Amino acid sequence: MLTNIPEVKLGIIAVSRDCFIIDLSERRRSAIVSACAKDGLNIYECKTTVENEKDMLKAVDEVKAAGCNALVVFLGNFGPETPETLIAKNFDGPCMYVAAAEGDGDLINGRGDAYCGMLNCSYNLGMRHLKAFIPEYPVGTAEDIAKMIGEFKPIACALIGLSQLKIITFGPRPQDFFACNAPIKGLYEIGVEVEENSELDLLVAYKAHANDPRIPAVCEDMAKEMGEGCYYPEMNGRMAQLELTLLDWAEAHKGSRQYVAFADKCWPAFPEAFGFEPCYVNSRLVSRGIPVSCEVDIYGALSEYIGMCVSGDTVPLLDINNSVPASIYEEDIKGKFDYQLTDTFMGFHCGNTPSCKLCADRAVKYQLIQHRLLEPKDSEPDFTRGTLEGDIAASDITFYRLQCDSEGVLRAYIAQGEVLDVKTRSFGGIGVFAIPEMGRFYRHVLIQKRYPHHGAVAFGHYGKALFEVFKFLGIQDIAYNQPKSLPYPTENPWT
């Protein structure tokens, strides 16, 4: 269960232009609420219908008193341009604007002209520089609008979460690792706070948690999660100590914010100083909706958090790591899946993918690369233990990232695909990924636009919602894996 994302409480306000029949808006509003109930959506029905500015203030007060933090503004007829747009100004939360389709009555007294009113509504929102979410086609029946509201809810969750998010870092990034360095200016542009600390601050706090009375209970939970033979019993106490340190730091340092994410340095000094690798601990926090990105990747943690809000599920951060050997492609993919070799790659990280997303044979192991670097040759792994390893289970996925580039410009990419049910024959938390036209996307988006090697992985197809979140945040460049029929601007037409 994710405990670090908002609970969205929706409200709906109907508006009506005073030269139209107010009852038309109210009946249509009630029909939407009934349609939402059939879809399992709980929405508060504001009984104040807005015709003027005083109505607007009363309606906004009503939904605020009801605890609503996301709002649907419904044009049941043409609507009053000034009051309806001032709702977005006076309500402290994301607003969606939708309009009624005709067909639930005659075209004399039953015609509302909301199709026309939506045009003036969007014009007035623009003049007032107010942000609002408007669906791809915002006009519909009660059943249509209930579906729009269902799609708006995860978008609203992400927007609310970002408005109350603080990213806490323990750095600096590893030496010669520029990929994870990005200007924090972009965070402030979208309303996210950041607190930057030293790795030494974390070490001091960790030592202060020695002999914490809560450690045995955390150790017991770790053992229950992994199962006998799948972890190092003698290390659980140290790892539990770190988990409690991070959770206590989050609570003590969130300040005015409600939600937190971590971007932590995890090598090369960490394992020797703390006595273990932090990956398994990170995975446990990620499974609860608290992103912990590796290598002080601030925008990686940000991306993870957005995906958690949109999907309602855990989201790890992975390296876009290595190509799939042709031998594995020929043996396990060709003829079984509709992908070319260049559509595939392996997504990997040392061990921060939660156990619930790994195959059944997952286990806490040691970081092979760090063992080579930090411990004596041919020695048994010691402080490089602590990674959660195993193949990532087959699943639909969305691979994406929101990034602030070296010029201080926010940009994003989104690509939908899947993790294949193919054994990797490798180490770490790793899976065989397939994304249509990945080869072209890799060259003309990831390389061409200078994205770092980390990407967030949502388990399911959430591209539509992520696109709307990024668009609402004002991201101008949202790239995706374009089909061959739509060449990239930098793609050589003679290739």
Side-chain angles (χ1 to χ4, degrees):
M1 180 180 177
L2 305 189
T3 58
N4 187 50
I5 64 173
E7 180 181 350
V8 178
K9 184 165 184 182
L10 292 160
I12 183 169
I13 296 176
V15 303
S16 176
R17 200 170 187 92
D18 57 9
C19 57
F20 283 79
I21 301 170
I22 191 171
D23 178 66
L24 182 62
S25 272
E26 292 174 340
R27 283 189 285 107
R28 287 173 165 177
R29 178 194 68 207
S30 295
I32 292 169
V33 173
S34 296
C36 285
K38 289 179 182 177
D39 288 350
L41 279 170
N42 186 26
I43 187 166
Y44 174 76
E45 183 178 6
C46 178
K47 296 301 183 180
T48 302
T49 304
V50 173
E51 287 187 307
N52 54 56
E53 290 182 40
K54 288 186 176 180
D55 291 340
M56 177 273 299
L57 292 172
K58 182 180 177 183
V60 170
D61 285 344
E62 184 180 334
V63 292
K64 285 181 177 179
C68 298
N69 56 6
L71 195 58
V72 178
V73 181
F74 171 60
L75 280 66
N77 57 41
F78 192 97
E81 299 167 27
T82 296
E84 71 194 11
T85 52
L86 287 176
I87 292 172
K89 182 177 181 180
N90 286 273
F91 180 74
D92 187 21
C95 295
M96 175 173 77
Y97 281 74
V98 290
E102 312 297 358
D104 54 351
D106 62 37
L107 291 180
I108 306 298
N109 292 321
R111 197 188 83 187
D113 298 354
Y115 187 86
C116 185
M118 178 57 76
L119 298 175
N120 282 18
C121 176
S122 67
Y123 182 69
N124 275 263
L125 286 167
M127 286 198 298
R128 298 175 190 280
H129 300 286
L130 296 171
K131 283 188 175 182
F133 173 67
I134 299 176
E136 283 292 295
Y137 184 69
V139 182
T141 64
E143 292 73 23
D144 296 333
I145 290 174
K147 289 183 173 59
M148 296 178 206
I149 293 170
E151 292 183 347
F152 172 57
K153 187 174 181 180
I155 296 166
C157 183
L159 297 174
I160 296 166
L162 288 174
S163 72
Q164 290 295 324
L165 179 66
K166 177 181 282 188
I167 299 177
I168 298 170
T169 77
F170 294 102
R173 68 183 186 278
Q175 188 268 336
D176 201 24
F177 218 73
F178 293 98
C180 291
N181 181 43
I184 62 173
K185 166 180 170 285
L187 299 176
Y188 298 136
E189 289 179 356
I190 59 174
V192 174
E193 287 295 326
V194 62
E195 173 191 290
E196 296 182 283
N197 305 281
S198 163
E199 195 173 21
L200 285 174
D201 295 319
L202 181 60
L203 182 59
V204 170
Y206 173 75
K207 288 180 176 179
H209 280 74
N211 302 314
D212 189 301
R214 298 169 292 173
I215 288 174
V218 177
C219 290
E220 184 178 343
D221 189 59
M222 288 176 169
K224 182 180 178 182
E225 176 188 5
M226 295 308 302
E228 290 304 316
C230 296
Y231 64 97
Y232 300 106
E234 69 277 12
M235 293 187 63
N236 274 8
R238 282 176 273 170
M239 293 192 291
Q241 186 175 331
L242 176 64
E243 182 173 312
L244 292 168
T245 302
L246 290 171
L247 290 173
D248 286 353
W249 191 285
E251 195 59 38
H253 288 253
K254 63 174 61 172
S256 62
R257 295 292 166 129
Q258 294 184 48
Y259 312 110
V260 295
F262 286 103
D264 298 349
K265 186 177 180 182
C266 48
W267 64 273
F270 186 102
E272 189 166 4
F274 286 77
F276 59 94
E277 297 281 0
C279 309
Y280 173 54
V281 174
N282 294 350
S283 80
R284 284 174 53 85
L285 269 62
V286 170
S287 71
R288 298 177 220 173
I290 305 173
V292 187
S293 68
C294 310
E295 297 147 347
V296 206
D297 183 359
I298 294 174
Y299 286 92
L302 175 67
S303 300
E304 284 181 273
Y305 186 74
I306 293 170
M308 289 174 181
C309 291
V310 163
S311 68
D313 196 4
T314 187
V315 174
L317 194 70
L318 295 179
D319 289 355
I320 305 165
N321 198 69
N322 59 278
S323 61
V324 173
S327 58
I328 293 179
Y329 175 79
E330 293 290 335
E331 182 178 343
D332 289 344
I333 301 174
K334 188 176 181 180
K336 300 175 185 177
F337 301 96
D338 189 21
Y339 295 108
Q340 301 297 314
L341 175 60
T342 52
D343 294 334
T344 66
F345 67 99
M346 290 195 188
F348 157 91
H349 239 167
C350 313
N352 61 358
T353 302
S355 61
C356 59
K357 300 301 180 184
L358 299 176
C359 293
D361 60 352
R362 82 284 181 277
V364 177
K365 297 184 180 179
Y366 69 97
Q367 220 291 0
L368 176 62
I369 298 170
Q370 295 298 309
H371 177 57
R372 294 174 188 150
L373 175 69
L374 300 174
E375 296 183 310
K377 187 178 180 180
D378 299 326
S379 65
E380 287 295 313
D382 180 16
F383 55 75
T384 55
R385 294 177 296 168
T387 56
L388 178 56
E389 305 202 8
D391 280 2
I392 300 171
S395 172
D396 287 339
I397 59 94
T398 306
F399 217 102
Y400 67 98
R401 184 178 178 91
L402 176 59
Q403 173 73 15
C404 192
D405 66 20
S406 58
E407 304 302 318
V409 177
L410 284 165
R411 61 178 74 241
Y413 68 77
I414 306 166
Q416 293 186 159
E418 61 180 309
V419 179
L420 301 180
D421 188 11
V422 172
K423 290 189 177 299
T424 64
R425 293 92 152 162
S426 195
F427 64 94
I430 189 168
V432 176
F433 286 71
I435 292 173
E437 299 298 330
M438 177 63 189
R440 296 170 54 248
F441 177 75
Y442 175 76
R443 173 60 185 87
H444 296 287
V445 173
L446 301 181
I447 292 176
Q448 186 68 33
K449 297 185 178 184
R450 299 178 175 88
Y451 279 101
H453 65 295
H454 287 170
V457 179
F459 291 95
H461 286 165
Y462 297 101
K464 183 177 180 180
L466 288 167
F467 184 88
E468 294 295 350
V469 171
F470 294 154
K471 189 168 69 172
F472 191 96
L473 294 174
I475 311 305
Q476 298 295 311
D477 181 0
I478 309 172
Y480 65 99
N481 52 317
Q482 296 176 194
K484 281 185 178 179
S485 59
L486 187 60
Y488 295 98
T490 55
E491 194 166 1
N492 190 325
W494 289 275
T495 296

